[in-house]
Each structure stands twice: as C-alpha cells, then as structure tokens.
C-alpha cells in the first residue's frame, strides 16, 4: 500500500469522438494539493468530468484508480460515495429543489451507500447552519431552489458548502475562481483550506495563478494537448503567470 | 362537435375528425352505446375526506343524496365521482353554485374501480360577483377506463375562479373546462398536471372566453409522460372584440422520459381586441441531463435523481394551489405516484 490516493495512468478521453485527453499520467498522494494549469482547450475540465464519470466523456484508454480501486468502472454516484467531489466551474441550477433538500438528499444517499446511518433533520440543519456561517452565507438562501438566481459568487459558495457537509476525501476544483471578486475568492479559498487534511487530496484546475495564492499547491502540472507536459513546485505557477503557456502549446512540445 | 356528448347516442361520440377531439378519439374505442351501469356502493370517504366539509357523491352516475350544492357560507364541498362498474357506462351531472361574496373550495375526486367502464361527468359551476371558487381535482381512473369530464364555468364581475387538475389518465381520459370570462376584474387561474405511465392517455382541454375587458387569466399546465403514454394539452384563450385590458398568459411544459411517449400540445390564443397583454409558452423535452449528472456527482443515485427532478418539475403546479390543506394533500398524492 502506497500513500498515493489518486493514480491516473495513460488516460485517454474522447468527447463526441474527438480525442481530448491523450495519455495523461498523474499521481496525487494523500494529503497533497496538486494544481493543473493549462491553456484554454487543453482538456482541464475534461479531466474533471472524466474522473467524475460524466456521460458522453468516453474513456478510450488508460486507467484511473482511487485508493487502488478502479474508478472508471463505477457509476457517478458510487464515485461520489467513495469520496470523489467535483466542484463545477458552472454549478447547475435545479428549479424546484431547495438547496437544503438537495444537500441533505446527497449527504444521506452517500451515507446509505457506505452503510452508515442517515443524518436526522435536526443534525443536518445544525451542520448546515454552521457551514453557512463559516462561508458568510445567508442561511435563508439555502431554502431557495438550488443555485436558481444565485450570483456567480453565491454558486461557488454553495459548492464549498456542499464540500463541507459531504466531507469528500478527493476534491477536484474546476476553475473555482472564475467569476469571483477578490473578497469572494478569499472566502471560498478559506473554505477549501479548512478542508485540507492528511487524508484528503485535492486537484485544483485553474487557468490563472491567482487562485494558487490562496490555495497553495504542493505540486503544479501543466496540461497541454491532452497530456501533462511539465510538473514542478509552486514556482512553476509563477513562471507560467510571467511567461504564459506558449512554450507548452502542442506545436512547441511536439 | 355540434351535439353534446350523450352516452346513449353513438352519433354524438366525437372522433378525430372533430377538430376539438383530434387527439382524443372517443369513437375509436366506443362505437355503440354502453350498457347502463348498475347501481354501486360508496367506498370510503375519498381522497379529500380528511379536509372535512360537505359531501356530494355520485356512484355510477347516480347521486347519493343531492346532485347540486350551493354554498351560502365559506367552506368546502367534496365532490366525488365514483365509478365501480365493469364494461358499462354512466353519466352524472353536478351543479355547483356559491352566493355572491362567498368562498368555496371544491375538492373533486374521480375514483375508479372495476374494469372497462365508460364515465361521463358534467359540471355546471356558477361563480357570481365577488365570489371565489377554487376547484381542485384528483383524477384516478383505472387503466382501461374511458372517462370524459366536462365543466362549464360562468363568472360574474370581480369573481375569482381557480382550478388545478392532477391526473394519472386512463385508457382514454379527457378533462375539459370551458369558461366564460366577463372581465371586469374577474380573475382566473386554470392549471393542471398529468403524470402518465403505461399506455395511459390524458387530455386536458380548456377554453377561456374573455367577453369583457380587464380580465385576468393565468394558466400553467405541466406533464410527465413515461412508457407509451400520451399527454394532450389543448388550451384556447379567446379575447373578444372590445375585451381591452385583458391579461392572459398560458404555459404548457412537458417531459417525455421514454422513446415511445407522446405529447400533443395545441395552445391557441385568438385575439380580436387591440389593447391586450397575452403570452404563451410551450415546451416539450427530456429531463435536464446536466442537472441529472450534477445530482449524481453529489452521490444521489440515478433513479432518485430522476424522481427528485420530476417531482420538482410537477410541484410548481401544486405550489399554486391556494388552500393549504389541499395543497399538502395534493403534494403527497403526487409524490406517491412518481
């Protein structure tokens, strides 16, 4: 047994028969935060969706394991119950389902799948109030339909609130900083940082270095042309910020 | 159709050649007059029993007591159309009135037992000036029944009528409401929801005829169709010449969750006045795949995610019910059938 939580090997993924990921290899050890940076269209979001099991993201080769278990053979909800959480770049609006109802259904579905006791309504409400308070969210907002009419910042806070309540062990943050002003970014980053722990890994997908000032990565990888083309420490992010992605574009790499 | 439907006269049975019945072809299933249903017995208190009020019950078309009710005070009347027959037919006529300025909650249930019956229910509802009627219908016919319900509603100036139909259909089922809208501050809400499985068919047909100005009509119909079921929505709003200031909006939205389900929608706005505000929207689609994936990603299994989304979709109609007790009862009724 190694301390590698997420192990991706030679992963290839197509969307509508178009290859996007072309043999991506990446290991994320327990307790570490790895950043995935790259130009637009490099396949960053595709990596998140493929790991979460989104239909129409077709895995054409390679493997992805989670604590040694094949992730790609599981249903999306099974992956979630094992601790995988994808924070969406564009969280979905769900009319007619109050945010609280939704999150409680998710918490209890995951608990049920793991053979744990469901959370009672009072237990859940107490936890939800605490989580909302920490994120400086108006609790009444959680009684409204999930994400409907929420601002960009409110939607991202909802994503972090769900993380706090679901307590996943593998977090994938897809462009969590997009659409956030600096104050909202700090609140969201604080929420994510509060979840850092030795038994929780994170994959932070971002186009800009800005988010990494607040969520400090252990490793930074550059994703271009469907592969990891460079890896390094946090200084790599600063280098990218200064020099851009040009030298990593597929033409330059090939 | 020029002649009103009469179960004893096959020449009055509408067919798809009648424009108003093109999606609900009674003659396809019924060519001869059905044998009259025998007298039946009342079972239980009906789905609205717990909400109390007065009762008006028809069993196989025969009134158990009165066949008409006039509300002199604010209150509830439970109107039950019970069918308990096998291969026979029956018709009922109920007359509902309310005194000026009074509020009536009309809780109507269509309760089917037996097999292959033909039911024809007619209602005459009069809502005079300043009176308010909220009609809520739970229609639960059996798989192989043929059921037609036709209501004629007349409103006075400043009256308010609101209606919510919830139905699971039948082999062939139509619930039709025709309403004369005088305008003059009168308001109408005319909603419905259908949830159909198997080979069931439900047809919600409405006609609101604005004959005077300054009237309001607000309509929301939603439906979910599974398997090989078929949902029909025909909504007609007429705004007569001179009915200026009319405000009418109509929405029909349906989800089809199978390859062989069908929805036929015919929204019609006929406007002969100049200064009106009318809008309609009609959509037919599938469950939102991105919402489904989002829910699954948070750990909600596929079936549960589908049920939650379907419930949320239909409950928008239930949320518009004014009577709180009836609203909660309808919410539970629908949730049990998802």
């Amino acid at each position: 047994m190694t301390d590698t939580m997420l192990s991706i090997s030679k992963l290839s993924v197509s969307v509508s028969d178009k290859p996007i990921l072309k043999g991506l290899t990446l290991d994320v050890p327990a307790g570490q935060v790895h950043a995935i940076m790259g130009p637009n269209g490099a396949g960053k979001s595709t990596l998140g969706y493929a790991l979460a099991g989104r239909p129409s993201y077709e895995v054409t080769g390679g493997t992805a394991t989670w604590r040694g278990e094949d992730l790609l053979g599981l249903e999306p909800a099974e992956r979630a119950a094992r601790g995988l959480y994808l924070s969406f770049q564009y969280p979905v609006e769900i009319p007619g389902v109050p945010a609280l109802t939704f999150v409680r259904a998710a918490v209890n579905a995951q608990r049920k799948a793991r053979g744990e006791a469901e959370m009672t309504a009072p237990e859940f409400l107490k936890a939800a109030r605490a989580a909302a308070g920490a994120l400086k969210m108006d609790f009444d907002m959680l009684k409204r339909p999930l994400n409907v009419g929420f601002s960009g910042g409110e939607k991202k806070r909802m994503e972090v609130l769900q993380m706090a309540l679901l307590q996943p062990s593998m977090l994938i943050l897809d462009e969590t900083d997009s659409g956030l002003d600096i104050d909202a970014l700090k609140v969201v980053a604080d929420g994510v940082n509060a979840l850092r722990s030795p038994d929780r890994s994170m994959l932070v997908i971002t186009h800009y270095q800005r988010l990494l000032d607040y969520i400090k990565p252990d490793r930074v990888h550059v994703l271009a042309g469907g592969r990891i083309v460079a890896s390094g420490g946090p200084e790599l992010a600063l280098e990218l910020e200064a020099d851009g992605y040009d030298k990593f574009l597929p033409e330059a790499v090939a | 159709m020029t002649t009103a439907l009469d179960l004893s006269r096959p020449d009055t049975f509408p067919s798809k050649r009648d424009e108003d019945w093109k999606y609900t072809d009674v003659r396809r299933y019924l060519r001869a007059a059905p044998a009259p249903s025998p007298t039946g017995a009342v079972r239980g208190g009906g789905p609205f029993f717990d909400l109390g009020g007065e009762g008006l019950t028809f069993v196989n078309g025969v009134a158990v007591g009165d066949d008409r009710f006039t509300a002199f005070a604010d209150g509830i009347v439970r109107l039950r159309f019970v069918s308990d027959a096998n291969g026979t037919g029956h018709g009922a006529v109920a007359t509902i009135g309310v005194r000026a300025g009074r509020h009536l909650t009309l809780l109507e249930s269509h309760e089917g037992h037996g097999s292959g019956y033909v039911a024809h229910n007619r209602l005459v509802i009069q809502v005079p000036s300043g009176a308010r009627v909220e009609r809520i219908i739970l229609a639960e016919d059996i798989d192989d029944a043929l059921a037609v319900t036709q209501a004629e509603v007349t409103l006075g100036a400043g009256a308010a009528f609101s209606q919510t139909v919830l139905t699971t259909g039948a082999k062939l089922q139509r619930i039709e409401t025709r309403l004369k809208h005088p305008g003059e501050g009168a308001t109408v809400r005319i909603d419905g929801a259908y949830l159909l499985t198997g080979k069931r068919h439900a047809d919600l047909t409405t006609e609101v005829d604005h004959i005077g100005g300054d009237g309001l009509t607000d309509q929301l119909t939603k439906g979910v169709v599974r398997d090989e079921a078929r949902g029909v929505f025909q909504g007609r709003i007429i705004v007569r010449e001179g009915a200026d200031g009319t405000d009418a909006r109509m929405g029909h939205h349906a989800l089809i969750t199978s390859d062989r389900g069908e929805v036929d929608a015919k929204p019609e706005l006929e406007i002969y006045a100049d200064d009106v505000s009318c809008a309609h929207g009609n959509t037919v689609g599938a469950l939102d795949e991105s919402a489904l994936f989002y829910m699954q990603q948070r750990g909600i299994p596929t079936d549960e995610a589908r049920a939650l989304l379907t419930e949320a979709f239909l409950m928008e109609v239930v949320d518009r019910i004014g009577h709180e007790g009836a609203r909660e009862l309808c919410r539970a009724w629908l949730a049990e059938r998802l």
Side-chain angles (χ1 to χ4, degrees):
Chain A
M1 166 142 181
T2 71
D3 67 346
T4 295
M5 301 271 268
L6 176 66
S7 183
I8 304 167
S9 176
K10 296 175 185 160
L11 185 68
S12 293
V13 175
S14 291
V15 181
S16 307
D17 290 330
K18 186 179 177 225
I20 307 289
L21 297 184
K22 302 163 185 170
L24 182 146
T25 296
L26 178 70
D27 283 339
V28 183
Q32 290 200 2
V33 175
H34 284 209
I36 303 275
M37 300 185 72
N40 289 323
K44 301 192 301 292
S45 290
T46 298
L47 175 61
Y49 284 142
L51 292 174
R54 183 165 200 156
S56 79
Y57 286 73
E58 192 198 348
V59 176
T60 55
T63 58
T65 60
W66 173 243
R67 289 175 166 151
E69 184 181 14
D70 173 26
L71 200 55
L72 303 177
L74 300 174
E75 291 295 313
E78 294 172 330
R79 300 181 199 198
R82 281 167 177 70
L84 181 79
Y85 184 98
L86 171 66
S87 174
F88 284 54
Q89 181 177 3
Y90 303 107
V92 178
E93 297 186 1
I94 306 191
V97 181
L100 276 176
T101 305
F102 175 80
V103 184
R104 186 166 172 231
V107 167
N108 282 335
Q110 291 200 14
R111 286 178 167 238
K112 196 174 159 193
R114 293 192 294 256
E116 299 165 11
E118 293 193 0
M119 229 172 171
T120 64
E123 284 170 350
F124 176 76
L125 280 177
K126 196 176 163 199
R129 268 182 207 285
L135 287 162
K136 301 184 174 62
M137 289 171 77
D138 177 6
F139 186 74
D140 282 341
M141 203 172 82
L142 303 183
K143 295 171 184 168
R144 285 162 42 192
L146 183 72
N147 291 333
V148 178
F150 288 19
S151 69
E154 287 168 340
K155 287 179 181 175
K156 293 297 168 77
R157 281 175 210 223
M158 263 313 301
E159 294 290 281
V160 179
L161 178 112
Q162 292 179 62
M163 288 172 206
L165 292 168
L166 291 165
Q167 293 282 318
S169 46
M170 175 75 219
L171 276 160
I172 304 169
L173 308 178
D174 187 5
E175 305 279 3
T176 289
D177 51 331
S178 68
L180 294 186
D181 62 31
I182 198 72
D183 292 330
L185 178 62
K186 281 180 186 162
V187 172
V188 165
D190 285 348
V192 172
N193 285 327
L195 291 169
R196 291 183 84 143
S197 86
D199 54 7
R200 183 174 287 129
S201 304
M202 298 187 189
L203 206 51
V204 180
I205 295 171
T206 183
H207 183 75
Y208 299 107
Q209 195 270 338
R210 182 179 78 151
L211 179 66
L212 304 180
D213 287 339
Y214 299 95
I215 303 174
K216 301 224 181 289
D218 297 292
R219 297 279 291 167
V220 174
H221 307 277
V222 180
L223 173 55
R227 292 187 191 91
I228 301 295
V229 294
S231 297
E235 71 286 351
L236 181 55
L238 296 167
E239 195 184 309
L240 288 166
E241 185 77 356
D243 303 342
Y245 291 108
D246 284 357
K247 67 177 175 180
F248 298 113
L249 290 180
E251 314 71 274
V253 173
Chain B
M1 193 184 42
T2 47
T3 316
L5 172 62
D6 177 345
L7 286 188
S8 67
R9 287 181 50 198
D11 62 307
T12 66
F13 298 173
S15 78
K16 63 184 176 192
R17 283 197 293 278
D18 300 288
E19 181 58 24
D20 260 12
W21 293 79
K22 67 192 251 191
Y23 304 116
T24 299
D25 187 350
V26 172
R27 210 171 277 201
R28 181 176 165 206
Y29 297 105
L30 194 66
R31 289 172 188 283
S37 296
T39 47
V42 190
R43 306 182 182 204
F48 289 114
F49 182 72
D50 290 343
L51 296 177
E54 306 280 336
L56 200 63
T57 303
F58 293 82
V59 181
N60 292 349
V62 178
V64 181
D66 290 335
D67 64 356
R68 58 192 59 226
F69 180 87
T70 301
F72 288 89
D74 295 353
I76 289 176
V77 62
R78 284 176 288 111
L79 172 61
R80 302 175 62 196
F81 293 110
V82 179
S83 291
D84 191 358
N86 298 292
T88 56
H90 46 269
V93 183
T95 305
I96 304 292
V98 53
R99 298 307 287 259
R102 293 298 178 185
H103 299 175
L104 174 68
T105 304
L106 175 62
L107 303 174
E108 180 177 328
S109 55
H110 299 202
E111 306 165 35
H113 309 280
S115 71
Y117 59 78
V118 179
H120 181 211
N121 308 307
R122 276 176 290 162
L123 283 91
V124 177
I125 302 173
Q126 281 173 331
V127 191
S129 289
R132 207 155 82 190
V133 170
E134 179 167 35
R135 179 186 182 207
I136 299 160
I137 304 161
L138 293 180
E140 188 150 53
D141 281 301
I142 57 171
D143 268 340
D144 59 354
L146 199 161
V148 175
T149 298
Q150 296 176 301
E152 300 276 347
V153 184
T154 312
L155 300 188
F161 177 76
S162 53
Q163 171 170 305
T164 306
V165 179
L166 302 183
T167 183
T168 55
K171 182 166 82 178
L172 198 71
Q173 184 198 63
R174 167 144 157 156
I175 298 173
E176 180 186 302
T177 309
R178 292 181 192 276
L179 198 143
K180 288 273 183 228
H181 200 315
E184 300 175 66
T187 64
V188 169
R189 175 178 65 71
I190 189 161
D191 295 349
Y194 52 90
L195 174 60
L196 308 176
T197 58
K199 294 185 173 184
R200 283 172 173 254
H201 173 118
D203 169 344
L204 298 183
T205 290
T206 62
E207 181 181 281
V208 179
D209 190 356
H210 284 262
I211 49 183
D214 300 315
L216 176 81
T217 295
D218 184 9
Q219 178 165 35
L220 178 67
T221 304
K222 287 188 144 190
V224 173
V225 168
R226 297 175 174 152
D227 308 326
E228 297 171 49
R230 186 181 193 192
V232 176
F233 168 73
Q234 299 190 114
R236 180 184 294 135
I237 295 178
I238 304 164
V239 182
R240 301 276 170 190
E241 200 174 332
D244 294 324
T246 295
D247 183 343
R249 53 200 74 187
M250 175 197 295
H252 169 254
H253 305 285
L255 291 178
I256 302 179
T257 65
S258 65
D259 295 335
R260 300 179 69 185
E262 181 177 332
V263 170
D264 299 291
K266 195 168 76 166
E268 291 177 280
L269 295 178
E270 290 179 25
I271 302 166
Y272 304 102
D274 296 326
D275 178 21
V276 298
S277 167
C278 291
H280 77 88
N282 181 56
T283 59
V284 179
L287 277 179
D288 179 355
E289 290 295 326
S290 57
L292 261 183
F293 173 64
Y294 185 85
M295 296 174 94
Q296 292 169 298
Q297 204 299 307
R298 298 298 139 93
I300 300 174
T302 313
D303 288 350
E304 194 182 334
R306 284 180 188 282
L308 260 175
L309 286 177
T310 306
E311 181 175 354
F313 178 77
L314 290 177
M315 286 305 173
E316 189 187 354
V317 171
V318 175
D319 285 342
R320 287 158 57 103
I321 294 174
H323 188 282
E324 191 183 346
R327 185 169 63 235
E328 292 315 310
L329 195 147
C330 288
R331 192 187 302 280
W333 188 90
L334 205 54
E336 272 171 33
R337 285 156 183 82
L338 284 172

